[in-house]
Coordinates of all heavy atoms in Angstrom, one line a residue:
Chain S
E56 N -3.7 -14.8 18.8 CA -5.0 -15.2 19.4 C -5.6 -14.1 20.3 O -4.8 -13.4 20.9 CB -5.0 -16.5 20.1 CG -4.9 -17.8 19.0 CD -4.8 -19.1 19.8 OE1 -5.3 -19.1 21.0 OE2 -4.3 -19.9 19.3
E57 N -6.9 -14.0 20.3 CA -7.6 -13.2 21.2 C -7.2 -11.6 20.9 O -7.0 -10.8 21.8 CB -7.3 -13.4 22.7 CG -7.9 -14.7 23.1 CD -9.4 -14.8 22.7 OE1 -10.1 -13.8 23.1 OE2 -9.9 -15.8 22.1
T58 N -7.0 -11.3 19.6 CA -6.6 -9.9 19.3 C -7.5 -9.4 18.2 O -8.2 -10.3 17.5 CB -5.1 -9.8 18.8 OG1 -5.0 -10.5 17.6 CG2 -4.1 -10.1 19.7
D59 N -7.7 -8.1 18.1 CA -8.3 -7.6 16.9 C -7.2 -7.0 16.0 O -6.1 -6.6 16.5 CB -9.2 -6.3 17.3 CG -10.5 -6.9 17.9 OD1 -11.0 -7.9 17.6 OD2 -11.1 -6.1 18.8
Q60 N -7.3 -7.0 14.7 CA -6.4 -6.5 13.8 C -6.5 -5.0 13.5 O -7.6 -4.6 13.4 CB -6.4 -7.3 12.6 CG -6.4 -9.0 12.7 CD -5.2 -9.3 13.4 OE1 -4.0 -9.1 12.8 NE2 -5.2 -9.8 14.5
L61 N -5.3 -4.4 13.4 CA -5.3 -2.9 13.1 C -4.7 -2.7 11.7 O -3.8 -3.5 11.4 CB -4.5 -2.1 14.0 CG -4.9 -2.3 15.5 CD1 -3.8 -1.5 16.4 CD2 -6.4 -1.7 15.8
I62 N -5.2 -2.0 10.8 CA -4.6 -1.7 9.6 C -4.6 -0.3 9.2 O -5.6 0.5 9.4 CB -5.2 -2.7 8.4 CG1 -4.4 -2.4 7.0 CG2 -6.6 -2.2 8.2 CD1 -4.8 -3.7 6.1
S63 N -3.6 0.3 8.6 CA -3.5 1.6 8.0 C -2.6 1.8 6.9 O -1.5 0.9 6.9 CB -3.1 2.5 9.3 OG -2.9 3.8 8.8
T64 N -2.6 2.7 6.1 CA -1.7 2.9 4.9 C -1.4 4.3 4.8 O -2.2 5.2 5.1 CB -2.4 2.3 3.6 OG1 -1.4 2.2 2.6 CG2 -3.5 3.3 3.1
D65 N -0.2 4.6 4.3 CA 0.3 5.9 4.3 C 1.1 6.1 3.1 O 2.0 5.4 2.9 CB 1.0 6.3 5.5 CG 1.1 7.7 5.9 OD1 0.0 8.2 6.4 OD2 2.0 8.5 5.9
T66 N 0.9 7.1 2.3 CA 1.7 7.4 1.1 C 2.4 8.7 1.1 O 1.9 9.7 1.6 CB 0.8 7.4 -0.1 OG1 0.2 6.1 -0.2 CG2 1.4 7.7 -1.4
M67 N 3.7 8.8 0.8 CA 4.5 10.0 0.8 C 5.0 10.1 -0.6 O 5.7 9.3 -1.2 CB 5.6 9.8 1.8 CG 5.2 10.0 3.2 SD 6.6 9.7 4.4 CE 7.8 11.0 4.0
V68 N 4.8 11.5 -1.1 CA 5.2 11.8 -2.5 C 6.4 12.8 -2.4 O 6.4 13.7 -1.7 CB 4.1 12.3 -3.3 CG1 4.5 12.8 -4.6 CG2 2.9 11.4 -3.4
E69 N 7.4 12.5 -3.2 CA 8.5 13.4 -3.2 C 8.2 14.7 -3.7 O 7.4 14.9 -4.6 CB 9.6 12.7 -4.2 CG 11.0 13.5 -4.3 CD 11.8 12.9 -5.4 OE1 11.4 11.8 -5.9 OE2 12.8 13.5 -5.6
G70 N 8.6 15.8 -3.0 CA 8.3 17.1 -3.5 C 6.9 17.6 -2.9 O 6.6 18.8 -2.9
V71 N 6.2 16.7 -2.2 CA 4.9 17.0 -1.6 C 5.0 16.8 -0.1 O 4.9 17.7 0.7 CB 3.6 16.3 -2.2 CG1 2.4 16.7 -1.5 CG2 3.6 16.5 -3.8
H72 N 5.2 15.4 0.3 CA 5.4 15.1 1.6 C 6.8 15.0 2.2 O 7.0 15.1 3.3 CB 4.8 13.7 1.9 CG 3.4 13.7 1.4 ND1 3.1 13.3 0.2 CD2 2.2 14.0 2.1 CE1 1.7 13.4 0.0 NE2 1.2 13.7 1.2
F73 N 7.8 15.1 1.4 CA 9.1 15.1 1.7 C 10.0 15.7 0.6 O 9.6 15.7 -0.5 CB 9.7 13.8 2.1 CG 9.9 12.8 1.1 CD1 11.0 12.7 0.2 CD2 8.7 12.0 0.7 CE1 11.0 11.8 -0.7 CE2 8.8 11.1 -0.3 CZ 10.0 10.9 -1.1
S74 N 11.2 16.2 1.0 CA 12.1 16.8 0.0 C 13.4 16.3 0.3 O 13.9 16.4 1.5 CB 12.0 18.3 0.0 OG 13.0 18.9 -0.5
F75 N 14.3 16.0 -0.7 CA 15.6 15.5 -0.4 C 16.4 16.8 -0.2 O 17.6 16.7 0.2 CB 16.2 14.7 -1.5 CG 15.7 13.3 -1.6 CD1 14.8 12.9 -2.6 CD2 15.8 12.4 -0.5 CE1 14.4 11.5 -2.6 CE2 15.2 11.1 -0.6 CZ 14.6 10.6 -1.6
H76 N 15.9 18.0 -0.3 CA 16.7 19.2 0.0 C 16.7 19.4 1.5 O 17.7 19.9 2.2 CB 15.9 20.5 -0.6 CG 15.9 20.3 -2.1 ND1 17.1 20.4 -2.8 CD2 14.8 20.3 -2.9 CE1 16.8 20.5 -4.0 NE2 15.4 20.3 -4.3
Y77 N 15.7 19.0 2.3 CA 15.6 19.1 3.7 C 15.9 17.8 4.4 O 16.3 17.8 5.6 CB 14.2 19.6 4.2 CG 13.9 21.0 3.7 CD1 12.7 21.2 3.1 CD2 14.8 22.1 3.9 CE1 12.5 22.6 2.7 CE2 14.7 23.3 3.6 CZ 13.3 23.5 2.8 OH 13.0 24.8 2.5
M78 N 15.6 16.7 3.7 CA 15.7 15.4 4.4 C 16.7 14.4 3.6 O 16.7 14.3 2.5 CB 14.3 14.7 4.6 CG 13.4 15.5 5.4 SD 11.9 14.5 5.6 CE 12.3 13.3 6.5
K79 N 17.5 13.7 4.5 CA 18.3 12.6 3.9 C 17.4 11.4 3.4 O 16.4 11.1 4.3 CB 19.4 12.2 4.9 CG 20.5 13.3 5.2 CD 21.3 12.8 6.3 CE 22.3 14.0 6.6 NZ 22.9 13.8 7.9
P80 N 17.6 10.8 2.4 CA 17.0 9.6 2.2 C 16.7 8.6 3.4 O 15.5 8.1 3.6 CB 17.8 8.8 1.1 CG 18.6 9.9 0.4 CD 18.9 10.9 1.6
Y81 N 17.6 8.4 4.3 CA 17.6 7.6 5.4 C 16.4 8.1 6.2 O 15.5 7.2 6.8 CB 18.7 7.4 6.3 CG 18.6 6.7 7.5 CD1 19.0 5.3 7.6 CD2 18.3 7.4 8.7 CE1 18.9 4.6 8.8 CE2 18.0 6.6 9.9 CZ 18.4 5.2 9.8 OH 18.3 4.5 11.0
D82 N 16.3 9.3 6.5 CA 15.3 10.0 7.2 C 13.9 9.9 6.6 O 12.9 9.9 7.4 CB 15.6 11.6 7.6 CG 16.9 11.6 8.4 OD1 17.3 10.7 9.1 OD2 17.4 12.8 8.4
V83 N 13.8 9.9 5.2 CA 12.5 9.8 4.7 C 11.9 8.5 5.0 O 10.8 8.3 5.3 CB 12.7 9.9 3.0 CG1 11.4 9.5 2.3 CG2 13.1 11.4 2.7
G84 N 12.8 7.4 4.9 CA 12.4 6.0 5.2 C 11.9 5.9 6.8 O 10.9 5.4 7.1
Y85 N 12.7 6.6 7.5 CA 12.5 6.5 8.9 C 11.2 7.2 9.3 O 10.3 6.7 10.0 CB 13.6 7.3 9.7 CG 13.8 7.2 11.2 CD1 14.7 6.3 11.7 CD2 13.1 8.0 12.0 CE1 14.8 6.2 13.0 CE2 13.2 7.9 13.4 CZ 14.0 7.0 13.9 OH 14.2 7.0 15.3
R86 N 10.9 8.3 8.7 CA 9.8 9.2 9.1 C 8.5 8.5 8.5 O 7.4 8.4 9.0 CB 9.9 10.6 8.5 CG 8.8 11.5 9.4 CD 9.0 12.8 9.0 NE 8.9 13.3 7.6 CZ 8.6 14.5 7.1 NH1 8.6 15.5 8.1 NH2 8.6 14.7 6.0
L87 N 8.6 7.9 7.2 CA 7.5 7.1 6.6 C 7.0 6.1 7.6 O 5.8 5.9 7.9 CB 7.9 6.5 5.2 CG 7.0 5.6 4.6 CD1 5.6 6.4 4.3 CD2 7.6 5.1 3.3
M88 N 7.9 5.3 8.2 CA 7.8 4.3 9.2 C 7.1 4.8 10.4 O 6.1 4.4 10.9 CB 8.9 3.5 9.5 CG 9.3 2.4 8.6 SD 7.8 1.3 8.2 CE 7.4 0.8 9.8
T89 N 7.6 6.0 10.8 CA 7.0 6.7 12.1 C 5.6 7.0 11.8 O 4.8 6.8 12.7 CB 7.9 7.9 12.3 OG1 9.1 7.4 12.7 CG2 7.2 8.7 13.6
A90 N 5.3 7.6 10.6 CA 3.9 8.0 10.4 C 3.0 6.8 10.5 O 1.8 6.9 11.0 CB 3.8 8.5 8.9

Side-chain angles (χ1 to χ4, degrees):
Chain S
E56 281 181 28
E57 294 303 313
T58 60
D59 290 329
Q60 306 300 299
L61 308 171
I62 189 166
S63 177
T64 192
D65 212 65
T66 296
M67 280 173 62
V68 179
E69 183 186 354
V71 178
H72 302 93
F73 66 91
S74 160
F75 288 117
H76 296 294
Y77 296 130
M78 291 184 76
K79 292 177 184 162
Y81 177 90
D82 294 344
V83 169
Y85 192 99
R86 200 171 63 163
L87 175 60
M88 276 311 302
T89 294

